[in-house]
Each structure stands twice: as C-alpha cells, then as structure tokens.
C-alpha cells in the first residue's frame, strides 16, 4: 500500500496517470456503501428499539459511519483518479472501519463472561477494556500510517508503511488472542456441562467473526509488504487487481456486519444491566446448574480500575495469597422472576 511519489507523477503524462493500478469499476463503492448502510439501519433498529444493546450498537454504528464515509470518498476518487485528497481520505476511513467493528465482538465476549462468570479467566469488564485499549492503539497506528504514507516525501511514505504494517500485525495478534480466549471459555462451558445452545451459537459466531477479521488483516499485511518492496507506485499483483481489495478487504467485513445483524447477541443474552446498586449493576447470570437464570451483583473486583487494567488476571493473588474477586455465584441469589416480583429481596 503506497501513495504516489512526486517523481512518479512528474515522470508521466500529466493527463494520463492514476492513483490506482487498475481501471476502477465506479459502481462498486456505491454498491458496497449501500450494503453497509442497510446493515447500519438494521443495527440502529436493533440497538434503539428491539434489543437495546447500546454499547454494542454504538461500535457497529460508529464503524458503519466511518466506512460509509470511506466509500463515499472512494467513489469520488474513482471518478477523479488524480484527486489526491479524496484518495487519502478514502484510504484513512476504509482502514479505520474494521478495528472499530472488532470492538463489538470484544463486547459480546465480555457479556458472555458476565453471563457465565464462573468460567471467566478474568474480570469480564476488563476483557472489554483491555481489548479496547489495544484496539485504540491499532486505530491510531492505522490512521497515522495511512496519512503518512500518502505524503509526497519518500521518508514519510516509508514511515507510514511501517506504521500500517505494525497496526495490521498487532490486530492479527489481538484476534488470535481473542479467539484463544473464546476457545478457552467454550471448552470450560462444555466440560462443566453448562453450555446452553445460545451460548454455543455465540461462541461459534465469535470464531467466525474473528476469522473474517484475521483474513482481512492477512490481506492488508500482504498488500502492505508487497507495496513496500516496489520501486514504482502501484506495482505488484494486489495493487493491480481491484477484485482482491473488494473481496478480501470489503466483502469479508460486509459479511461480518451482516452476521452480527442476523445473529445479534441481543437474541441470546440479556441486556448488560438491569439496575444499579451502589457501585455495581445487578446482572442476569446463569446458575451453575446450567438452567436457572438469576440476578446478582455481577463480578466484583475489590481492586481499583487501573490495577485491574494492568493486572487483569490478578497475578498479585499468588504473591499476597488473597484473591481480589468474590465468587458471588456460590450464593443462592434470587431468580430473575423472583427479583422482578420482589425487588428488595436479598441473597441467602
């Protein structure tokens, strides 16, 4: 992935050069932009009316907004293939969309761990915050790299390419870690006999979404390394074949967002919180019997927020001999039906 160097442009006919290594199909940005828009409208309905999963919907709608903006700018760039500003804009926005979408799957895993907290390897809330912090780093590297690689200075192009490479490799590593955590949770549920069908379906969905993001990362890494090895702009197989971009960058992510429309986690899991009691939200969780839904205080970690961020697995307990969390599920908290009928009833 490279932008044209100044000498590349100056050495060509001023009326016969393009920012792309192919003759672009002008309808494609419009078609895929429309597909993303339809999905976004579906997510808006599911977020605000049907399921009310606001945090999950926020990431899906934010990612869709960024991506639609990217397709608008790519359509403009396709019609004016010498418009450097439009080219840079679409590059930055299209690169920025997938890391935002990825945050939604982190949130789903966090909710799964809240639902079956006794199988969670760490505080479910820290799953989301830890992956989001890394995702923010990926987003920053992607944006900075895309902007820098679009410079006319060769040194800036090289630095930008390295930043993009780093961001893509980092995201691929994150997805591998994410899939490993899903697999560990899935295995624990199955081994303990507490694997309801809805949890099994969500685990399979998370495997699939993570695989799609990983495929996209592999494609982008290959594109970036191929471009970095080129002596001239737009050399290489990927840069000269448009369909590769639309299949491995765009189509896989469109499949990702539609999968989250069809298998929206709100169909399978309760909302993230019911009501607040002091510091914590009362959460619906599945009793270790694998059948009864109860409402308890949720995973309580007595450490400060920043300590849990830096030590999410609570390694400190092996040194001080005291775990920071409370195994609230060992008490018999009221069932969901009992709690709704008697909201002030305490745990036994």
């Amino acid at each position: 992935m490279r932008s044209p160097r100044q000498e590349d442009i100056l050495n060509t006919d001023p009326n016969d050069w393009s920012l792309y290594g192919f003759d672009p199909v002008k309808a494609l940005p419009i078609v895929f932009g429309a597909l993303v828009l339809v999905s976004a409208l579906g997510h808006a309905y599911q977020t605000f009316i049907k399921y009310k999963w606001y945090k999950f919907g926020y990431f899906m709608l934010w990612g869709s907004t960024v991506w639609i903006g990217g397709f608008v700018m790519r359509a403009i760039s396709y019609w004016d293939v010498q418009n450097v500003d439009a080219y840079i804009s679409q590059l930055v926005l299209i690169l920025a969309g997938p890391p935002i979408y990825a945050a939604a799957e982190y949130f789903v895993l966090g909710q799964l761990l809240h639902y079956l907290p006794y199988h969670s390897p760490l505080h479910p809330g820290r799953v989301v915050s830890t992956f989001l912090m890394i995702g923010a780093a990926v987003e920053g590297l992607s944006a900075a790299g895309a902007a820098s690689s679009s410079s006319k200075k060769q040194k800036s192009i090289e630095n930008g390419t390295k930043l993009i490479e780093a961001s893509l490799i980092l995201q691929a590593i994150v997805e591998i870690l994410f899939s490993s955590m899903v697999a560990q949770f899935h295995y624990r549920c199955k081994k303990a006999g507490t694997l309801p069908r809805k949890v099994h379906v969500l685990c399979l969905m998370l495997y699939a979404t993570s695989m799609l993001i990983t495929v996209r990362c592999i494609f982008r890494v290959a594109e970036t390394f191929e471009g970095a090895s080129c002596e001239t702009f737009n050399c290489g197989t990927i840069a000269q074949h448009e369909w590769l971009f639309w299949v491995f960058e765009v189509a896989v992510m469109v499949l990702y967002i539609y999968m989250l429309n069809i298998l929206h986690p709100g169909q399978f899991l309760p909302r993230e919180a019911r009501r607040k009691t002091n510091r914590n939200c009362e959460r619906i969780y599945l009793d270790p019997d694998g059948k009864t839904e109860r409402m308890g205080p949720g995973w309580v970690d007595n450490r400060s927020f920043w300590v849990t961020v830096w030590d999410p697995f609570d390694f400190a307990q092996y040194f001080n001999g005291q775990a920071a969390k409370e195994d609230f599920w060992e008490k018999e908290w009221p069932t969901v039906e009992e709690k709704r009928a008697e909201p002030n009833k305490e745990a036994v």
Side-chain angles (χ1 to χ4, degrees):
M1 178 188 306
R2 297 175 56 212
S3 290
R5 296 176 298 181
Q6 189 173 21
E7 59 266 32
D8 292 330
I9 295 176
L10 292 176
N11 291 333
T12 59
D13 185 332
N15 297 316
D16 188 28
W17 63 272
S18 171
L19 290 162
Y20 299 96
F22 47 79
D23 185 18
V25 179
K26 296 179 174 62
L28 286 176
I30 299 172
V31 170
F32 280 102
L35 288 173
V36 175
L37 177 60
V38 170
S39 172
L41 292 174
H43 277 294
Y45 168 74
Q46 292 171 316
T47 297
F48 297 109
I49 298 175
K50 191 170 184 179
Y51 300 120
K52 302 187 186 300
W53 268 50
Y54 296 117
K55 291 181 181 179
F56 172 82
Y58 167 75
F59 289 116
M60 295 305 298
L61 292 174
W62 179 19
S64 294
T65 301
V66 170
W67 239 29
I68 291 170
F71 290 133
V72 170
M73 296 311 300
R74 194 170 183 98
I76 294 172
S77 179
Y78 268 15
W79 282 95
D80 184 1
V81 294
Q82 298 178 2
N83 188 329
V84 176
D85 290 337
Y87 179 84
I88 294 173
S89 297
Q90 64 84 27
L91 180 63
V92 172
L93 292 172
I94 291 177
L95 271 176
I100 300 173
Y101 282 135
E105 66 175 4
Y106 307 154
F107 181 75
V108 175
L109 178 58
Q111 293 305 107
L112 270 174
L113 298 182
H114 272 302
Y115 190 60
L116 292 92
Y118 34 87
H119 294 319
S120 177
L122 68 158
H123 190 305
R126 298 297 81 79
V127 171
V128 180
S129 61
T130 301
F131 278 111
L132 284 182
M133 288 177 65
I134 301 174
V138 171
E139 188 77 6
L141 288 171
S142 296
S148 182
S149 66
S150 299
S151 170
K152 293 181 180 180
K153 298 180 180 178
Q154 182 61 24
K155 185 64 176 177
S156 295
I157 293 173
E158 293 174 356
N159 290 337
T161 299
K162 291 177 181 178
L163 288 174
I164 293 173
E165 290 171 356
S167 71
L168 293 167
I169 293 172
L170 178 59
Q171 188 173 11
I173 293 172
V174 168
E175 288 304 318
I176 292 172
L177 293 174
F178 176 81
S179 296
S180 299
M181 187 169 290
V182 175
Q184 181 187 31
F185 170 77
H186 197 185
Y187 172 76
R188 288 182 175 182
C189 292
K190 187 173 182 179
K191 184 178 180 180
T194 51
L195 184 62
R197 181 180 179 277
K198 57 186 179 182
V199 173
H200 180 62
V201 169
L202 283 179
C203 287
L204 294 180
M205 182 197 75
L206 290 176
Y207 292 140
T209 56
S210 184
M211 181 192 69
L212 290 172
I213 292 177
T214 303
V215 168
R216 177 256 175 189
C217 287
I218 292 172
F219 165 73
R220 281 296 196 179
V221 168
E223 177 193 37
T224 304
F225 276 95
E226 183 183 62
S229 65
C230 287
E231 293 297 328
T232 60
F233 178 58
N234 277 337
C235 75
T237 301
I238 296 177
Q240 295 177 359
H241 293 82
E242 182 182 20
W243 70 269
L244 292 171
F245 167 80
W246 291 107
V247 171
F248 294 107
E249 166 72 7
V250 179
V252 294
M253 292 307 301
V254 169
L255 181 58
Y256 173 99
I257 61 178
Y258 273 93
M259 185 179 298
L260 290 174
N261 279 119
I262 297 168
L263 297 175
H264 192 286
Q267 299 178 60
F268 307 100
L269 295 177
R271 290 175 57 189
E272 60 175 305
R274 291 298 173 183
R275 53 200 165 87
K276 294 187 176 181
T277 57
N278 298 326
R279 289 178 55 195
N280 303 299
C281 292
E282 292 189 323
R283 295 183 179 274
I284 296 176
Y285 72 96
L286 187 67
D287 189 273
D289 66 10
K291 298 177 182 179
T292 309
E293 286 189 337
R294 298 185 181 276
M295 189 176 287
W299 186 304
V300 178
D301 194 321
N302 296 318
R303 301 175 297 166
S304 69
F305 172 79
W306 289 110
V307 172
T308 63
V309 170
W310 293 111
D311 183 15
F313 290 93
D314 192 19
F315 289 118
Q317 68 175 302
Y318 300 109
F319 298 97
N320 58 31
Q322 183 177 0
K325 67 181 177 67
E326 298 177 7
D327 296 341
F328 71 92
W329 54 86
E330 293 183 353
K331 297 180 179 181
E332 189 174 331
W333 294 88
T335 65
V336 173
E337 292 75 15
E338 291 171 344
K339 193 67 176 180
R340 288 171 179 167
E342 302 178 38
N344 294 320
K345 186 177 178 180
E346 299 290 336
V348 174

